[in-house]
Amino acid sequence: MSHDHGLPPKSSVSRWFLTTNHKDIGVLYLITALFFLVFGGTLALLFRLELISSGADLLGSMGYNQAVSTHGLLMVFWFISPFAFGFANYVVPLQIGADDLAFPRLNALSYWLYLFSGILMGVSFFQGTTFAGGWTMYAPLNTPAYIPGEGLGATSVVLALIMFTAAVTLGSVNFLTTMYRMRAEGLRMRDIPIFSLSINLTVWMMLFAFAALLAALMILASDHILGTTYFQYSIDGTTMATDADNPGASLLWAHLFWFFGHPEVYIVFFPALGVMAECFQTFTGRRLVGRKWFIISMVLVALQSFVVWMHHMFLTGINLPIKTIFMATTIGISLPFDLMVFSLIYTMAKGRVRFTTPFLFSLGALILFIIGGITGVFLGAIVLDYQFRGTYWVVAHFHYVMVAGATALFGGLYYWYPKITGKMYNERLGKIQFGVYFLGFNLLYFPMFIAWETPRRVFVYPDGLQIWHTMATVGGFILGASFLIMFYNLFVSLWRGEDVGPNPWEYATSAEWAVSSPPPLENFPGVPSYATGKLEFLDDETVVERTERAPGAAAHGHAATDGGTATDGGAVTARAATTATAMESAHEVSGEEHANHASFWPFLVSLGGFITFLGLSGVRTGSVFYLTMAAAGGVATIGSLVGMTREPFHAPEMAIAERWPFERVEKMKLGMWTFLASDIVLFGAFIGSYAFVRVAYGWTAWHHDLIPAEHVTMPGLINTYLLLTSSFLVVLAMVAAERESKRGTVAALAGTFALGVGFLINKGLEWNHLFHISTETFPSGWNLSTNIASSTFYLTTGLHGAHVTIGLIICAYMTVRAWNGAYQGDDRAIEYFGLYWHFVDIVWLFLFPLFYIL
Amino acid sequence: MDWKGYTAIYVVLFTFATAQAVVEFAGLVDSAYWAAFALIMVLSVVKAVGVAAYYQHLRWEPRAVTYLVLGGTVAALALTGAAAYSIL
Ligand code: HEM
Ligand SMILES: [Cu+2]
């Protein structure tokens, strides 16, 4: 039997649509991200041309604003992180000894959602104008009332970002589950190679930060499409703080965005740091000096990154005490960075440096980062920021840090190129590119520090600064040209490059260099293990032998699922399952039997999502074209999701693996919990938004001023009872399944479904009533657009209702399966569904008092 | 846990939900708003912990899963608390 996992060869186009293999997907990410680099870069060159002289005589004012905004969004979202995740996809499983990610199809889904979200960005240019309010999308300029024209392009951008965020969330869940369930035996968390470690911390930050962004974007999309009024206010008095109907509007966006935004800058930078550390080690032939402290610093930064966001808001009306606190945390966060920088410098000083292209890029990145970091500390000081805010100082600062990150990643591209392609690039051309790149970079961004008085995002500037801007434009073109050299080099080397063996770099030690270049589809010639202190590949017999000896080693999870009373029966099942899994993967290894890992569904789901979102961008116009598209896309998406669920796809857990600290949490369960953790932040941000605008309005006046007397407690209480009872039935379904009572299982699941439907009907009746009330204060009903209280009420409980609806679809599917005899004696699937359903229940436990009583 | 345990939890949850509504019907929300607020939120937290610990089995999972959940919760609370404080 061949080792193709049911996939066509790489030379066939269909391979790339069907693949779920992490290495293929890594390559897809790399190429797609480079495409967006060129896209965003071209826009930048356009507006750099514009800025040769003051005024918008080339692109026009709207053209300039669109180019600047799209450039920022493309580079931050569609280029830099996906580029890093190309490497992460390719390298992390190899470095930790896994044969793929935990959920290969989900990984493909992430990629396709990413690609289609980028296409949606591109399409937005053709809907009149695209979004033009800057990459930070500040309110209220991000809402339709403040956007010139119909603003459909802007809506598409918001939806594209939502799609992108969905891809990121799935990716985070996938990477975390992989790294906690699939490490080679003997590989402790702290021992995994530094690049993988940096990715681990990156995905942790992503999991929480992007959930907050998702909340911000969903609210914004709702303002665009449904007509809620979170980010707008109308003023009818003299001072905004007291007379506006929604005084928290624009600060709300700033808080949500920057709560995401600051972690995002480390999300961007950490993978780069990982690449730098790898390259420094390999090309100095030394282990990272103070590795332990380097890791501790990264962990500290990852945590602290969530408590510095208000340094982006020093010029807003937030109070002085909070500004001071955030100044302190900001200065605090630069300390661990100093440690990391020193560690890299010492590593270099103590080792014997070999100046290869990847090393040059890593060293260059370090130098640029130091400059960027120091100038950032200036901005972190409140008084200095009063001057610098909104100027080119900020532009220069963040390009020095962000593009320093990109610089390291280009180093990574040279570093892993031989691994991915099996060919060596041309070293001379690589060095030449570095020289041109470094020159172009500094010529482009350094003058911006000097011309710092230029207002940011504006195309007019004082005359005396023209020389610096001209210089920057020239630098921009030199930087751009350096990429032509790189593309040429990497492309031509595919044919002309020298063949390389497993390890072309003398001192590279991580596991990806222990296998051929490129590695085989299943990565390793056996089950990887570090049990003896160095990497070995175990054969079938050893694996089976070891799992026999230690039944706890694998697939232990479900012995403890129902309440953890690991009875003898449980232990026996666990042991049987372990052996079965061991045999299964042993077969995998020896290639006797291969699961089919080709799937077209991820592509179709994403295509459906793309059509849905494009349709949604225009539904507010009532156009039949857009409405049809939204409906057709929705059907296609749901249909494809069902198809994907029904497709047999088997990715067994590893027979032996290191799993601290989630040894007993089977991978589906861990994936579910990780997802729920991000969902907690999503709902938390929704509830937080509600609390924030309510505080801004006046917490206690809110109820009296904005909410009609018809909005009573009873419907909420009834719904609380319904949901609590349905949760109770889900656990009963588990008990029944475990006792192999098919009737009991079906009855309990059907009951859950019925109660959920009752919940939605009750809610529908309540909403319908409120929409159509006619009182003195609310003569024409209380609907989504009536005021900020109605907006928060409908949107927050609506998001919850959407969660209920999704749960019901799953519940219906499971009821039918139970009817056909599924789950008897194995209640795991019901348990995982239950985790989700109970979570939805818990959310309601807070929505009920907040929106019905208090 | 067997069905009896689950049922006991259910009864408690049901009672607490009712208690929250009773606080409102008794007029406490109008007479002593912040006391009612504290009482009602504490009841919600207790219910949530009950569901998570028993129905979602967190009690029997490795502690790390609980930390994962707490991580998300703390992040959301930090955002809410600090943002609201910033405009007080
Ligand atoms: C050494 C630690 C750093 C400090 C103390 C720092 C500080 C700051 C401050 C205070 C601002 C707000 C300036 C203003 O708008 O007035 C800022 C902006 C920014 N920083 Fe940093 N920064 C640091 C590192 C980084 C890193 C590592 C990155 C990315 C890799 C980054 C990316 C950005 C970006 C993109 C902005 C601009 C946001 C916008 O569009 O308004 N910073 N930085
Ligand atoms: Cu920041």
Side-chain angles (χ1 to χ4, degrees), chain A residues 126-183:
Chain A
F126 299 96
Q127 296 176 292
T129 49
T130 183
F131 184 72
W135 86 276
T136 49
M137 311 179 91
Y138 286 135
L141 293 185
N142 56 5
T143 53
Y146 291 80
I147 292 172
E150 274 189 315
L152 301 191
T155 308
S156 286
V157 170
V158 178
L159 294 170
L161 279 162
I162 291 184
M163 207 165 167
F164 180 86
T165 308
V168 170
T169 305
L170 294 181
S172 313
V173 169
N174 212 343
F175 270 92
L176 286 170
T177 310
T178 306
M179 297 182 92
Y180 288 112
R181 293 291 304 172
M182 300 172 74
R183 298 192 313 271

Side-chain angles (χ1 to χ4, degrees), chain A residues 204 208 251 255 259 309-310 318-319 321-322 561-563 661-662 664-665 669 673 677 680-681 684 688 692 694-696 699 713 717 720-721 724-725 728 731-732 734-735 739 831 835 838-839 842 845-846 848-849 852-854, chain B residues 1-3 6-7 10 13-14 17-18 20-21 24-25 29 33-34 36-37 40-41 44-45 47-48 51-52 54-58 60-62 64-65 68-69 71-73 75-76 78-80 82-88:
Chain A
W204 272 116
F208 294 129
L251 274 181
H255 274 301
F259 183 78
W309 80 91
M310 282 187 232
I318 58 174
N319 60 42
I322 197 89
T561 46
D562 190 12
F662 293 106
R664 281 168 27 234
V665 194
K669 190 194 274 187
W673 271 117
I680 290 175
V681 177
F692 183 79
R694 185 163 172 176
V695 167
W699 185 274
T713 310
L717 182 62
T720 308
Y721 290 151
L724 283 176
T725 313
F728 178 53
V731 283
L732 289 190
M734 266 175 64
V735 174
R739 291 188 183 167
E831 188 191 5
L835 292 180
H838 301 311
F839 168 72
I842 290 177
L845 296 180
F846 290 96
F848 167 54
Y852 287 88
I853 304 182
L854 294 167
Chain B
M1 195 180 233
D2 63 6
W3 67 271
Y6 287 133
T7 311
Y10 174 64
L13 294 172
F14 201 93
T18 313
Q20 288 178 313
E24 140 119 269
F25 295 141
V29 174
Y33 183 83
W34 291 110
F37 182 93
I40 286 174
M41 289 318 284
S44 275
V45 171
K47 279 193 290 180
V51 174
Y54 293 95
Y55 284 8
Q56 294 182 309
H57 306 129
L58 274 185
W60 296 282
E61 300 289 1
V65 183
L68 170 65
V69 172
T73 313
L79 170 62
T80 310
Y85 172 74
S86 77
I87 52 166
L88 283 181

Side-chain angles (χ1 to χ4, degrees), chain A residues 460-730:
Chain A
V460 283
Y461 51 79
D463 279 342
L465 300 177
Q466 184 165 358
I467 169 85
W468 305 113
H469 281 288
T470 309
M471 222 184 250
T473 302
V474 173
F477 277 87
I478 295 177
L479 183 65
S482 81
F483 285 103
L484 298 180
I485 307 175
M486 182 177 93
F487 289 136
Y488 172 81
N489 187 353
L490 299 186
F491 190 71
V492 169
S493 300
L494 284 179
W495 288 276
R496 292 215 213 120
E498 228 175 278
D499 286 327
V500 294
N503 186 2
W505 313 122
E506 221 168 317
Y507 295 102
T509 54
S510 45
E512 77 268 31
W513 305 109
V515 289
S516 65
S517 307
L521 203 59
E522 61 283 349
N523 287 354
F524 302 107
V527 174
S529 163
Y530 288 91
T532 57
K534 68 183 219 309
L535 182 58
E536 285 176 316
F537 300 110
L538 311 179
D539 56 24
D540 296 6
E541 278 131 61
T542 325
V543 170
V544 174
E545 207 177 287
R546 283 207 198 165
T547 43
E548 296 256 289
R549 242 189 296 131
H556 195 118
H558 86 275
T561 46
D562 190 12
T565 39
T567 57
D568 283 349
V572 170
T573 342
R575 192 162 172 286
T578 308
T579 323
T581 323
M583 296 305 287
E584 216 165 4
S585 19
H587 282 302
E588 283 276 299
V589 170
S590 60
E592 283 168 39
E593 205 180 281
H594 269 292
N596 187 335
H597 275 196
S599 177
F600 199 46
W601 294 112
F603 172 81
L604 286 180
V605 172
S606 312
L607 178 65
F610 168 76
I611 297 172
T612 314
F613 277 14
L614 189 54
L616 283 180
S617 75
V619 293
R620 71 165 174 273
T621 61
S623 128
V624 178
F625 172 69
Y626 278 115
L627 283 168
T628 317
M629 202 149 53
V635 172
T637 312
I638 294 175
S640 315
L641 278 170
V642 172
M644 188 159 151
T645 314
R646 296 182 55 88
E647 177 183 64
F649 190 95
H650 198 52
E653 292 229 42
M654 284 163 70
I656 324 181
E658 213 57 54
R659 298 180 164 131
W660 180 88
F662 293 106
E663 288 91 350
R664 281 168 27 234
V665 194
E666 200 251 341
K667 79 172 183 185
M668 273 299 287
K669 190 194 274 187
L670 183 57
M672 178 57 95
W673 271 117
T674 320
F675 169 75
L676 289 180
S678 94
D679 225 18
I680 290 175
V681 177
L682 176 74
F683 269 111
F686 266 81
I687 295 174
S689 301
Y690 159 78
F692 183 79
V693 289
R694 185 163 172 176
V695 167
Y697 185 88
W699 185 274
T700 41
W702 171 278
H703 205 273
H704 171 263
D705 297 356
L706 304 176
I707 297 177
E710 283 71 14
H711 182 47
V712 291
T713 310
M714 212 36 164
L717 182 62
I718 294 174
N719 268 349
T720 308
Y721 290 151
L722 291 179
L723 273 195
L724 283 176
T725 313
S726 74
S727 264
F728 178 53
L729 285 186
V730 174

Side-chain angles (χ1 to χ4, degrees), chain A residues 135 258 265 312 369 376 379-380 385 389 397-398 401-402 456:
Chain A
W135 86 276
W258 288 118
V265 307
H312 295 275
F369 180 70
L379 295 170
D385 195 49
R389 170 103 215 157
H397 153 67
F398 74 70
V401 273
M402 288 243 186
R456 185 179 170 193

Side-chain angles (χ1 to χ4, degrees), chain A residues 42-339:
Chain A
T42 310
L43 289 169
L45 291 182
L46 276 175
F47 67 72
R48 268 327 309 176
L49 276 180
E50 176 70 82
L51 290 169
I52 281 194
S53 64
S54 175
D57 25 35
L58 177 69
L59 301 171
S61 50
M62 203 52 192
Y64 177 86
N65 290 347
Q66 289 179 74
V68 170
S69 306
T70 312
H71 161 76
L73 289 167
L74 283 178
M75 290 304 200
V76 172
F77 292 103
W78 279 275
F79 161 59
I80 194 159
S81 283
F83 192 50
F85 272 77
F87 298 125
N89 261 285
Y90 203 100
V91 175
V92 168
L94 286 164
Q95 285 196 335
I96 66 171
D99 60 350
D100 205 324
L101 287 181
F103 309 108
R105 276 190 311 176
L106 218 54
N107 192 30
L109 184 59
S110 280
Y111 168 73
W112 290 112
L113 285 172
Y114 155 59
L115 176 69
F116 277 110
S117 69
I119 296 177
L120 190 54
M121 270 301 276
V123 170
S124 71
F125 273 96
F126 299 96
Q127 296 176 292
T129 49
T130 183
F131 184 72
W135 86 276
T136 49
M137 311 179 91
Y138 286 135
L141 293 185
N142 56 5
T143 53
Y146 291 80
I147 292 172
E150 274 189 315
L152 301 191
T155 308
S156 286
V157 170
V158 178
L159 294 170
L161 279 162
I162 291 184
M163 207 165 167
F164 180 86
T165 308
V168 170
T169 305
L170 294 181
S172 313
V173 169
N174 212 343
F175 270 92
L176 286 170
T177 310
T178 306
M179 297 182 92
Y180 288 112
R181 293 291 304 172
M182 300 172 74
R183 298 192 313 271
E185 182 187 23
L187 192 58
R188 295 177 305 176
M189 260 332 267
R190 73 185 79 157
D191 294 332
I192 65 178
I194 202 93
F195 175 71
S196 290
L197 236 147
S198 75
I199 293 296
N200 177 267
L201 291 167
T202 306
V203 284
W204 272 116
M205 288 189 282
M206 280 181 159
L207 187 73
F208 294 129
F210 272 84
L213 178 68
L214 184 59
L217 292 167
M218 287 172 87
I219 295 174
L220 182 56
S222 151
D223 271 13
H224 276 241
I225 297 167
L226 304 174
T228 49
T229 60
Y230 275 77
F231 297 125
Q232 299 177 51
Y233 38 72
S234 44
I235 302 171
D236 31 51
T238 41
T239 65
M240 192 196 88
T242 51
D243 296 337
D245 54 358
N246 179 16
S250 89
L251 274 181
L252 172 63
W253 176 266
H255 274 301
L256 289 175
F257 186 85
W258 288 118
F259 183 78
F260 148 78
H262 193 88
E264 166 69 2
V265 307
Y266 299 118
I267 289 169
V268 164
F269 198 73
F270 266 36
L273 206 55
V275 173
M276 280 154 76
E278 293 279 353
C279 288
F280 269 70
Q281 297 191 111
T282 296
F283 298 108
T284 60
R286 261 208 71 108
R287 214 172 120 91
L288 201 58
V289 175
R291 187 178 189 273
K292 181 172 147 201
W293 293 101
F294 194 92
I295 296 171
I296 292 175
S297 300
M298 286 209 290
V299 174
L300 272 179
V301 169
L303 290 171
Q304 277 178 282
S305 71
F306 286 92
V307 290
V308 297
W309 80 91
M310 282 187 232
H311 65 219
H312 295 275
M313 300 169 69
F314 285 156
L315 256 71
T316 66
I318 58 174
N319 60 42
L320 193 56
I322 197 89
K323 283 183 196 170
T324 315
I325 294 171
F326 275 77
M327 171 162 93
T329 56
T330 300
I331 290 169
I333 206 171
S334 46
L335 301 178
F337 263 116
D338 299 340
L339 227 137

